[in-house]
Amino acid sequence: MNSNYLLSIIGSVLLHLGLGTLVFWQTDFSIETLAQPKAKKVEVVQAVVVDASKVDAIRQQLLDQAAKKRQQEVDRQKKLDDSARKASENRKREERRLKEAEKKRKVEEKRKATAEKERKLEDKKRLQAQEQRKLAEKKQAQADVKRKEAEKQRKVEEKRKAVAEQKRAEAEKQRKAEEVKKAEAERQRIAEEKRKLEAEKKRKEAEDRQKELEQDRIKQQIQQDLDLERKQREEEQAKLKNRQRQREVAAAVDFTTDKIRARMQKLWVKPPDWPEDGEVHLKIRASANGTILSVEVIQSIGVAAYDLSAEIAVRKMGDLPLPEDEDVAEQFREFTFVFNPNGKQ
């Protein structure tokens, strides 16, 4: 009503101004005009008719301009709201990305620490194996020296006996002594060959055992690597599934919150002089099936009546529009709801 009244006043003023201007410009102040009053009266009547149509056109133009400005203001406010919403979404997306990067960094650090620990353990085992091998080689060398020394002593003793036997034997016994010597040599050769065969057999058996142990170790290592790879793959799949589930729950929570806000705004009775940027923070508790159990103002807008209007709107809902997903519904058992009817959430 105020707007229509103001437009009526403006139209009236413009009408009078227009009439006055047209009368002024249509009036002929020459001597001939003064001498002809009847013609002047006809011209004045025509000017008034023309001015009325122009005033209506001007009034309609002013109304169109006012409507255009109101639409421009609505569009500007909508752009501001869209910009604020997009900024909020970008901030949340960046926070999720930073959290995910931090989580990956910790996993990578743990993996590197485990790899370093395994590498040090492997180095320790390798050094121990080298020390054991060197000790075995040293013992084998000492045994070889003792064996050679014993062999040398045995040969010296046999030589001494042979010389003594030769000195003691008669000439007629020289052939027999020679045969004995040859037989002894043959025996030694056979014994030596037998010893070498036994040693070669033992060496081959040791090599075969070593090869079997090495093959068993390689098989065991391959199986361990396969088990580790499978476990890592399963863990990664579980992580991907968990991240996907978290994104789905977060999206469902946002969707449910928007439904609650829309439903509450329909039930809310706006108090007079509600501030442009006013918002109320409410703590809402609900049952598993969505029944609202309690509503508490935890951050006031500054006016008790305004706080009470928001609290009453929540209680009018009775039940929250919860989804069937239990994980999403659990988020609304007790939560903080920011109510801002101007859309600045």
Side-chain angles (χ1 to χ4, degrees):
M1 294 180 63
N2 292 335
S3 177
N4 293 332
Y5 180 70
L6 180 61
L7 289 174
S8 299
I9 294 175
I10 293 173
S12 177
V13 172
L14 290 174
L15 177 63
H16 285 81
L17 288 175
L19 289 173
T21 303
L22 289 173
V23 169
F24 178 81
W25 288 107
Q26 293 291 334
T27 302
D28 187 358
F29 293 95
S30 64
I31 296 174
E32 294 178 355
T33 302
L34 295 173
Q36 299 176 359
K38 291 182 179 181
K40 178 179 178 182
K41 183 176 181 181
V42 172
E43 292 176 355
V44 169
V45 172
Q46 293 176 352
V48 170
V49 173
V50 172
D51 286 346
S53 62
K54 288 184 179 181
V55 168
D56 290 339
I58 292 172
R59 183 174 180 273
Q60 184 62 38
Q61 184 177 5
L62 291 175
L63 292 173
D64 293 341
Q65 289 178 353
K68 183 177 181 181
K69 286 184 179 180
R70 287 196 301 273
Q71 184 62 39
Q72 289 176 348
E73 179 62 21
V74 171
D75 294 341
R76 185 185 69 82
Q77 185 63 36
K78 183 178 180 181
K79 289 181 180 179
L80 291 176
D81 294 342
D82 291 341
S83 298
R85 178 181 56 78
K86 290 180 179 178
S88 178
E89 292 176 353
N90 292 334
R91 176 178 59 77
K92 292 179 179 179
R93 191 181 302 110
E94 181 64 16
E95 289 177 354
R96 290 195 295 269
R97 187 188 67 78
L98 292 175
K99 290 181 179 179
E100 185 65 22
E102 178 65 15
K103 186 176 181 180
K104 289 182 178 179
R105 182 186 66 78
K106 291 181 178 180
V107 171
E108 181 64 18
E109 288 180 353
K110 184 176 180 181
R111 185 192 65 77
K112 289 182 178 179
T114 302
E116 181 64 17
K117 184 177 180 181
E118 291 178 352
R119 184 188 65 79
K120 290 181 178 180
L121 181 60
E122 187 64 25
D123 291 342
K124 183 177 179 180
K125 290 180 178 179
R126 186 172 61 255
L127 291 174
Q128 290 177 348
Q130 290 177 355
E131 291 177 356
Q132 291 177 357
R133 180 178 56 79
K134 289 180 179 179
L135 181 60
E137 290 176 352
K138 183 177 180 180
K139 290 181 179 180
Q140 184 63 35
Q142 292 174 352
D144 291 341
V145 170
K146 291 181 178 180
R147 182 182 57 77
K148 289 179 180 180
E149 185 65 26
E151 183 68 17
K152 182 178 180 181
Q153 292 295 331
R154 185 183 63 79
K155 288 181 178 181
V156 169
E157 184 63 22
E158 288 177 354
K159 185 177 181 181
R160 184 187 64 79
K161 290 179 179 181
V163 171
E165 185 64 22
Q166 287 176 359
K167 289 180 179 181
R168 184 185 60 79
E170 298 290 341
E172 65 272 9
K173 293 180 181 180
Q174 183 65 36
R175 180 182 59 84
K176 187 178 180 179
E178 188 65 26
E179 290 177 355
V180 172
K181 183 179 179 180
K182 287 180 179 181
E184 183 64 21
E186 182 65 16
R187 186 187 65 78
Q188 291 179 3
R189 184 186 66 78
I190 294 173
E192 183 65 19
E193 287 180 356
K194 184 178 180 180
R195 186 188 63 78
K196 289 181 179 179
L197 289 173
E198 290 293 331
E200 181 67 16
K201 181 180 179 181
K202 291 181 180 180
R203 185 184 65 79
K204 288 184 178 180
E205 289 176 351
E207 287 181 353
D208 293 339
R209 286 196 300 271
Q210 186 64 29
K211 287 180 180 179
E212 291 177 356
L213 292 175
E214 183 65 18
Q215 290 177 355
D216 292 340
R217 186 190 66 78
I218 292 173
K219 290 180 180 179
Q220 184 178 6
Q221 183 64 41
I222 292 174
Q223 186 61 41
Q224 290 178 354
D225 293 341
L226 291 175
D227 292 342
L228 179 60
E229 183 180 357
R230 177 183 56 78
K231 183 178 180 181
Q232 290 176 348
R233 185 167 58 253
E234 291 175 352
E235 290 177 352
E236 186 63 24
Q237 290 176 354
K239 290 177 182 177
L240 290 174
K241 185 176 181 181
N242 186 40
R243 288 196 293 270
Q244 178 65 25
R245 177 59 179 164
Q246 289 178 353
R247 288 193 291 268
E248 292 175 354
V249 170
V253 168
D254 292 340
F255 179 76
T256 303
T257 302
D258 292 339
K259 288 177 64 178
I260 294 173
R261 181 175 292 108
R263 186 173 177 184
M264 178 177 174
Q265 284 184 325
K266 290 181 179 180
L267 300 172
W268 178 62
V269 178
K270 183 177 181 180
D273 300 326
W274 180 276
E276 180 68 21
D277 57 346
E279 61 182 21
V280 181
H281 292 234
L282 303 170
K283 183 177 182 181
I284 302 174
R285 291 180 61 253
S287 64
N289 59 1
T291 301
I292 297 175
L293 301 177
S294 65
V295 184
E296 178 185 357
V297 177
I298 59 175
Q299 182 174 328
S300 173
I301 192 176
V303 179
Y306 296 169
D307 297 341
L308 183 60
S309 69
E311 182 179 347
I312 291 173
V314 173
R315 295 185 182 276
K316 283 181 178 180
M317 285 192 291
D319 296 330
L320 298 176
L322 298 182
E324 295 181 357
D325 192 323
E326 294 181 357
D327 293 336
V328 178
E330 184 64 23
Q331 302 293 322
F332 294 93
R333 293 293 297 275
E334 183 174 336
F335 65 102
T336 299
F337 181 77
V338 180
F339 178 64
N340 184 344
N342 298 311
K344 298 180 180 180
Q345 302 297 334

